Amino acid sequence: MLFSSTALRNISRVGLRSRTAATQQIRAKSSASGGIPTPVLQQWYGIFGKSTIGYATWLVAGIIVAEGITGTLSDAVWNSVNNGRTFETVDWSKFATDDDDEDEDEEEEEDEEEEEEEEEEE
C-alpha cells in the first residue's frame, strides 16, 4: 500500500504541474491577445494603475462621464417620447383666450384710476 500511494501522489503531482503550465500558457496568450493593445495597457497602468489615488481618480472620472452620457441619453429618449406633453413642449398659444386680454385692460384701468386719485390727494 505504501508503494501505491506514493506512486499515485507522484502521478498526481506531475499532472498538476502540466495543468499549471498549460494554464499559465493560456493566460499569457489570452492577456497578450486581448482587445486592447499591450502598449496602451502599459501606458494606462503607468498613469492610473500604479497608485491607489490614480486608480481612484480613474474610477471617479469614469463614473462621472458615464453618468453624464446615460443622463443625456435618457433625457433625449424621455423628451422624444413625451413631446408635446411636458411644460416646455406644449404650444401655449392654443390655450390663449380673449378673457385674458380683457382682464389686463381692466387692471390697467384700475391702475390709472389709482394714480389719478393719488395725484388729486397731493
Side-chain angles (χ1 to χ4, degrees), residues 1-13:
M1 282 235 309
L2 183 63
F3 178 74
S4 63
S5 63
T6 306
L8 289 174
R9 240 185 278 137
N10 288 338
I11 291 172
S12 65
R13 286 182 187 163

Side-chain angles (χ1 to χ4, degrees), residues 30-119:
S30 66
S31 64
S33 64
I36 301 173
T38 303
V40 173
L41 289 176
Q42 288 174 343
Q43 185 177 10
W44 178 90
Y45 183 79
I47 296 170
F48 298 109
K50 278 188 176 179
S51 67
T52 303
I53 191 68
Y55 188 67
T57 303
W58 170 261
L59 288 177
V60 169
I63 290 168
I64 290 171
V65 168
E67 180 65 28
I69 291 170
T70 55
T72 302
L73 291 175
S74 63
D75 285 346
V77 170
W78 177 266
N79 290 331
S80 69
V81 170
N82 293 310
N83 191 17
R85 298 178 188 162
T86 60
F87 183 81
E88 293 86 17
T89 60
V90 170
D91 184 13
W92 293 107
S93 64
K94 294 179 182 177
F95 300 102
T97 61
D98 294 334
D99 295 340
D100 293 339
D101 295 336
E102 292 173 6
D103 291 340
E104 290 175 4
D105 293 338
E106 291 175 6
E107 289 175 4
E108 289 175 5
E109 289 174 5
E110 290 174 2
D111 291 340
E112 289 174 3
E113 289 174 3
E114 289 176 5
E115 289 175 4
E116 289 174 5
E117 290 175 5
E118 289 176 2
E119 289 176 4

